[in-house]
Amino acid sequence: MSLRKLKWFTILLPPLLIGGFELIRHELLLQYISMEVGNFYIIVLTFILSFIFGSWMFRNIAAMNESLAGERSKRAVYEERERLAQELHDNIAQNVFFLNVQLKRGKTEEARSAVAEIDHHLRQAIFNLRSLPEDGITLDERIRLWVQQWETMTGVDVTEHIEWANMPLTASQQVQLFSIVQEAFTNIRKHSQATHAVLWLTEDMATWTLRIRDDGLGLSDIKTGPNHYGISMMRKRAQELGAEFSIRKITDGGSGTEVIIIGRK
């Protein structure tokens, strides 16, 4: 039923039924039904109509909301695919150009590095396209699989502490959170010179927390100020999640950087 028809149905049905019953009662049934009994009947009729109509209306509203939520989730997934395609195109084009320049100059080590970078971007894009939220894989499973692949490619050991009871995040929210994880680990691979990283993904009654920590050079040493693209992207995605974002240099018993995201349920 269209919204226009639903509006008129909502406006006209109660007065027609209740008003019609009252008209019939006063015109035809008054000698058979006393005022007290008639009033009781109208209360019962009003309750029954309100219950039936209200239940039907709320079912329709719930179905519409579910449909809208599904459309928003699909849109988020499609937008993520478009972002991945654009990012893949830009990164590979940049690295192919760099590779071509280095080969012309005979710099094989730099060329090998460019090939490795292209391979990394291709693998990451393939993984993302194969494991989007719409495919039924849970967020914690997706993160574990990606971290294992990243660990194999980079040689950096990763310790995971994931206590996630499949908290009901929308597909859009899962995309945002997973992208933060990817960007944090990309920064570790590119800039930190770390040998070990730790990922925490936990939740309690009121909040959930994502923490990613490495033992690398540290924030100031790798020249990643607050306007650095990767950090800006993580901060923006955290804001879209309604979460708090912070990044700090580790000073308690070592070096490195720690990214912390805290969101509310």
Side-chain angles (χ1 to χ4, degrees), residues 89-150:
H89 173 271
D90 294 343
N91 287 329
I92 289 183
Q94 181 180 1
N95 281 288
V96 167
F97 175 78
F98 178 77
L99 173 62
N100 186 47
V101 171
Q102 299 308 317
L103 287 174
K104 287 181 178 180
R105 293 176 178 176
K107 297 182 177 180
T108 55
E109 286 301 320
E110 288 81 354
R112 187 178 292 110
S113 175
V115 171
E117 190 71 16
I118 292 171
D119 178 69
H120 170 78
H121 286 301
L122 283 172
R123 288 175 181 270
Q124 180 168 302
I126 291 170
F127 178 89
N128 287 340
L129 292 172
R130 284 180 174 176
S131 63
L132 285 168
E134 65 178 3
D135 296 328
I137 186 171
T138 62
L139 178 63
D140 55 328
E141 291 172 340
R142 190 179 182 205
I143 290 175
R144 283 192 178 98
L145 288 172
W146 187 84
V147 167
Q148 289 171 8
Q149 188 181 89
W150 183 89

Side-chain angles (χ1 to χ4, degrees), residues 53 73 82 97 113 136 145 167 172 190 196 204 213 230 253:
F53 182 74
S73 295
E82 291 179 4
F97 175 78
S113 175
L145 288 172
M167 194 182 75
S172 175
K190 286 184 174 180
H196 184 254
D204 55 30
R213 180 172 183 160

Side-chain angles (χ1 to χ4, degrees), residues 3 6 57-73 170:
L3 289 176
L6 188 61
M57 178 65 73
F58 280 107
R59 278 198 303 269
N60 277 274
I61 292 173
M64 289 180 183
N65 287 337
E66 186 175 347
S67 176
L68 289 173
E71 290 299 321
R72 284 195 295 267
S73 295
T170 65

Side-chain angles (χ1 to χ4, degrees), residues 194-256:
T195 59
H196 184 254
V198 185
L199 179 147
W200 290 268
L201 182 60
T202 58
E203 59 172 323
D204 55 30
M205 294 296 293
T207 62
W208 55 263
T209 303
L210 170 68
R211 291 172 57 205
I212 299 173
R213 180 172 183 160
D214 67 73
D215 63 353
L217 295 176
L219 185 64
S220 60
D221 297 326
I222 59 176
K223 299 180 182 180
T224 53
N227 295 321
H228 183 268
Y229 172 75
I231 296 175
S232 298
M233 190 277 285
M234 287 189 288
R235 180 178 287 108
K236 178 183 177 182
R237 290 186 178 273
Q239 290 174 348
E240 291 173 355
L241 281 167
E244 299 175 7
F245 171 86
S246 61
I247 183 169
R248 69 183 186 93
K249 182 177 180 179
I250 296 171
T251 57
D252 51 340
S255 62

